[in-house]
Amino acid sequence: MPHYHGKIDSKLPHVGTTIFTVMSRLAVEHDAINLSQGFPDFDCAPELLELVTKYLGAGLNQYPPMAGVPVLREAIAEKVEALYGASYDPEHEITVIPGATYGIYTAVAAMVRPGDEVILCEPAYDSYAPSVEVNGGTPVYVQLTFPDYAIDWPAMQQAISPRTRMIIINTPNNPTASVFSAEDLRMLDALLAGTNIVVVADEVYEHIVFDGHAHQSVARFPRLAERSFIVSSFGKTYHVTGWKMGYVVAPRELMNEFRKVHQFNVFVANGPIQYALAEYMKNKDAYLALAQFYQRKRDFFLERIKGSRFKPLPSRGTFFQNLRYDAISDERDTDLAVRLTREYGIASIPVSVFYREPPAHRVLRFCFAKSEATLASGAEILRRI
Ligand code: PMP
Ligand code: GLN
């Protein structure tokens, strides 16, 4: 086995293996119910599989256009306009990408220079800070309040400096399961007016907002949309996280810069799957019914853990339910998550890993994108702890 003997001056000295890989691996090792990493344990719609099979056999197996196949870009434009009232030109303002992680990274790589600051809300999804740092930027953090996980707008205002290049927002929010209100977006709009700060809006859970509330996409706010890359993921919407497919919409000027990087970063996303997604998107129910589908799962899980010593925090969107465990243990969440996997056979995600320093409150995140049988078995274990 060859070894490198030179000096490595790591660009990401503090980065280890992502918690999702760590906890899923531990779950497999201990044959535990895996409510850690966010992915469904059920399959996607058979119609979608049939469409992929159809297009795999249709002789479309060479490079698709760099920005994505036109029919898919048109379907995305139609959806964004219908849901959020914003019109994006498929030719210049929509790009199909291999997953949202890639879209966020590419937007950062296209816009952030060494010395630039990028504001992140803490807790922050784990890909944001490394994407900023590997491009020479500096993350600047604004704490979400606890237990509401709301944005502290005065703190956000204070975090803005002449070096702020970008703000990354995420609604519905992972790992907190909170959602932004229209007022939040108006505050952001007012705060950024007159600056050159761009926004990356991670909206991968756009179709998973509960209790009758509407998703507040930045696309609904014209002045904000003018400075925003909006990133979405087909993986979350169609139960196909392993396909790594998503899209970015942004005004032409920003998208032009995005595509300069995209063409040399991956060039194109998988072609046959794009044709299949374009056709499948005609079935609007598949995404419009998603909130209800997951709300039922949230409510099923909450019903089944009633009587346990875990205390639920509000889950207003995403497919995550956070639980406090003050009544059970004063261990750190990272220790408890490992112990529960080993000793009780249930895996979760310790929320403190999304902070630079562990916060005082102790919370575990459980994914309910699972069959009722899985959720029932998981809940049964939680009631015994
Ligand atoms: N952002 C957030 C907030 C997520 O939860 C995820 C899902 N894992 C992603 C981005 C990445 O999505 P994708 O799998 O499409 O890269
Ligand atoms: N976003 C998913 C989660 O929060 C995991 C994605 C990944 O494993 N990178 O669980």
Side-chain angles (χ1 to χ4, degrees):
M1 217 188 278
H3 285 284
Y4 178 70
H5 295 288
K7 183 177 179 312
I8 295 178
D9 183 12
S10 175
K11 293 181 80 174
L12 297 172
H14 307 297
V15 169
T17 304
T18 160
I19 189 69
F20 307 120
T21 299
V22 170
M23 289 311 301
S24 273
R25 199 189 288 150
L26 200 66
V28 170
E29 223 172 87
H30 294 275
D31 201 17
I33 305 246
N34 187 4
L35 305 187
S36 66
Q37 190 179 22
F39 63 87
D41 74 342
F42 42 86
D43 209 355
C44 65
E47 296 80 8
L48 181 54
L49 295 179
E50 280 160 25
L51 287 169
V52 172
T53 308
K54 171 174 138 187
Y55 285 107
L56 278 173
L60 297 163
N61 296 310
Q62 309 313 324
Y63 296 123
M66 187 262 277
V69 304
V71 278
L72 180 54
R73 283 185 275 149
E74 281 154 22
I76 293 164
E78 218 173 280
K79 184 194 87 169
V80 173
E81 173 131 39
L83 293 184
Y84 311 125
S87 139
Y88 286 91
D89 172 10
E91 179 64 20
H92 301 290
E93 302 185 321
I94 298 176
T95 302
V96 181
I97 51 170
T101 312
Y102 169 93
I104 295 157
Y105 179 86
T106 303
V108 171
M111 302 308 296
V112 173
R113 289 187 168 77
D116 285 349
E117 292 177 352
V118 177
I119 297 179
L120 308 179
C121 296
E122 195 170 46
Y125 183 63
D126 71 342
S127 83
Y128 301 161
S131 297
V132 170
E133 286 165 345
V134 84
N135 285 293
T138 306
V140 171
Y141 292 89
V142 174
Q143 300 299 306
L144 295 179
T145 60
F146 187 82
D148 289 339
Y149 294 116
I151 295 197
D152 178 344
W153 286 107
M156 179 68 91
Q157 182 157 23
Q158 282 206 323
I160 293 177
S161 86
R163 288 160 63 192
T164 308
R165 184 77 196 102
M166 175 182 281
I167 296 185
I168 303 182
I169 60 169
N170 171 217
T171 183
N173 188 266
N174 180 11
T176 71
S178 63
V179 299
F180 282 20
S181 65
E183 184 55 19
D184 284 323
L185 288 162
R186 280 193 285 272
M187 296 292 281
L188 184 63
D189 181 21
L191 211 57
L192 300 186
T195 72
N196 285 321
I197 299 170
V198 296
V199 173
V200 169
D202 177 347
E203 301 189 5
V204 300
Y205 300 102
E206 64 177 316
H207 301 299
I208 316 178
V209 178
F210 304 134
D211 307 317
H213 294 289
H215 167 56
Q216 296 300 333
S217 172
V218 299
R220 289 181 191 271
F221 300 82
R223 280 198 320 190
L224 260 184
E226 283 176 12
R227 58 172 80 245
S228 298
F229 295 92
I230 304 175
V231 184
S232 192
S233 172
F234 291 112
K236 312 288 169 192
T237 302
Y238 293 141
H239 317 310
V240 287
T241 59
W243 289 5
K244 296 303 301 185
M245 296 294 290
Y247 63 85
V248 179
V249 306
R252 183 175 182 153
E253 298 75 13
L254 294 180
M255 187 55 85
N256 193 31
E257 296 304 313
F258 183 95
R259 287 184 185 172
K260 287 182 191 173
V261 179
H262 168 72
Q263 66 185 338
F264 298 121
N265 207 3
V266 68
F267 184 52
V268 285
N270 183 302
I273 291 183
Q274 292 191 48
Y275 287 102
L277 287 169
E279 194 167 332
Y280 192 62
M281 279 184 79
K282 290 181 185 152
N283 170 15
K284 296 188 172 53
D285 269 354
Y287 52 83
L288 293 179
L290 198 66
Q292 239 189 358
F293 172 81
Y294 275 124
Q295 185 170 323
R296 273 200 300 273
K297 290 197 179 291
R298 177 198 67 175
D299 294 345
F300 179 84
F301 183 59
L302 285 173
E303 186 59 37
R304 290 299 175 107
I305 62 168
K306 268 196 185 144
S308 106
R309 292 190 294 163
F310 286 96
K311 204 164 161 249
L313 284 162
S315 171
R316 302 196 164 96
T318 74
F319 42 51
F320 303 115
Q321 176 63 57
N322 285 318
L323 301 178
R324 302 182 73 171
Y325 59 88
D326 310 63
I328 294 172
S329 161
D330 56 13
E331 279 162 282
R332 288 182 55 171
D333 59 353
T334 40
D335 294 333
L336 185 64
V338 169
R339 191 165 72 79
L340 295 186
T341 310
R342 291 205 174 117
E343 292 179 12
Y344 288 88
I346 183 148
S348 58
I349 294 287
V351 169
S352 72
V353 301
F354 303 103
Y355 292 81
R356 287 157 303 162
E357 298 292 332
H361 43 270
R362 288 146 191 274
V363 178
L364 294 175
R365 191 200 78 176
F366 294 82
C367 172
F368 54 77
K370 307 293 168 190
S371 68
E372 286 199 348
T374 308
L375 292 175
S377 310
E380 203 262 320
I381 296 173
L382 293 176
R383 281 204 315 273
R384 282 194 273 116
I385 296 170

